[in-house]
Amino acid sequence: MLAVRFVLVRTSHPGNIGAAARAIRTMGYTRLVLVAPHKYPHPEASAMAAGADNVLDSIVVVPTLVDAIADCRLVLGCTARRRGVSLPEITPRDAAVQVREAAASGEVAIVFGNERTGLENEELIRCHAAVHIPADPSYSSLNLAQAVQVLAYELRLAQLEARPLADAGPKSDPPATAEQMEYFFGHLFGMLDDIDFHKGRSPVTIEQRLRKLFLHANLDQREVRILRGIFDDAQRMARLAKDRG
Ligand code: SAH
């Protein structure tokens, strides 16, 4: 996550700088670079940052876009509308995947233009691709900080989705195989018979439903063992009840 910087070019309103700082901070990012901001530092920036102080404290201010991206291996420029520059145009979602891959082994910059004029062609030609948020074509220009939020959010989603399953929690057993699931269903359906769940009705529909339910659950081998332990006990209780009755 740390190899990504958000670059704001010639920002007019200091409030947007603060709001952008807050936007990236909420998504786990901290690096903001300002290229020739009109007014910074400014109390409005601090006010709109609403406590995202570590982002403001570490802001870097540089004179040109070239300075801001010199060490980057991937540079993406965000544009509200098509420009006369033939760059591949991608969605924030595609961008997030590219960023995730590139940031694993180098620095990445995501670049945003001035509120009124956007990015100059001169700046866009330094970018590997143009990112366009597919807004309503008749009103496609988002507020600067809101565009930053959309990009930061997509980056975070891509990051979270990429995390290997093992990191996601204690579910570390191998997934149940198709064969194990067949034994599981045999056991489940046998148990339902033993506890007289069907009461004379046909079991076909409910068995199909249960199959769907448990296949969707993507059980691992441990979970299958736990459930089959429960089925064993249910069958034992059913036998006891029968013997008594
Ligand atoms: N009138 C300007 C609007 C700039 S809005 C223009 O047409 O370019 C300020 C910045 O927010 C833009 O430079 C861009 O970086 C970002 N932005 C706004 N809307 C966007 C959109 N729909 N897709 C991608 N970036 C957008």
Side-chain angles (χ1 to χ4, degrees), residues 54-227:
N54 58 336
V55 178
L56 289 190
D57 291 345
S58 58
I59 274 185
V60 176
V61 181
V62 294
T64 69
L65 179 61
V66 174
D67 299 306
I69 62 174
D71 58 336
C72 291
R73 60 166 293 188
L74 177 67
V75 179
L76 299 176
C78 298
T79 58
R81 56 191 161 86
R82 265 169 209 273
R83 298 303 168 94
V85 179
S86 62
L87 270 183
E89 191 181 284
I90 59 176
T91 64
R93 203 151 288 184
D94 299 332
V97 173
Q98 289 192 19
V99 169
R100 190 180 73 209
E101 284 164 8
S105 58
E107 289 282 329
V108 173
I110 311 194
V111 184
F112 299 84
N114 167 269
E115 291 90 332
R116 202 171 50 77
T117 53
L119 290 170
E120 307 283 346
N121 286 347
E122 170 68 9
E123 289 157 344
L124 273 175
I125 54 169
R126 317 240 170 237
C127 299
H128 296 99
V131 184
H132 178 67
I133 300 163
D136 184 334
S138 65
Y139 194 81
S140 65
S141 175
L142 280 75
N143 163 267
L144 171 60
Q146 289 173 352
V148 171
Q149 184 77 74
V150 171
L151 266 291
Y153 172 68
E154 287 292 343
L155 293 191
R156 182 165 180 81
L157 264 196
Q159 197 75 31
L160 292 174
E161 278 162 9
R163 197 163 288 175
L165 211 58
D167 282 357
K171 192 166 178 169
S172 54
D173 261 46
T177 64
E179 188 183 28
Q180 287 164 340
M181 286 311 289
E182 279 315 303
Y183 285 120
F184 169 86
F185 287 125
H187 198 170
L188 170 63
F189 300 153
M191 180 273 291
L192 291 178
D193 265 343
D194 292 348
I195 65 170
D196 194 25
F197 179 76
H198 304 298
K199 301 182 184 61
R201 293 169 306 218
S202 162
V204 176
T205 311
I206 189 75
E207 287 185 358
Q208 280 171 358
R209 290 235 165 102
L210 289 169
R211 264 183 186 277
K212 199 169 154 207
L213 177 107
F214 282 107
L215 287 178
H216 276 178
N218 284 323
L219 299 178
D220 67 28
Q221 298 188 5
R222 182 152 183 272
E223 291 165 336
V224 166
R225 282 199 301 278
I226 293 170
L227 288 168

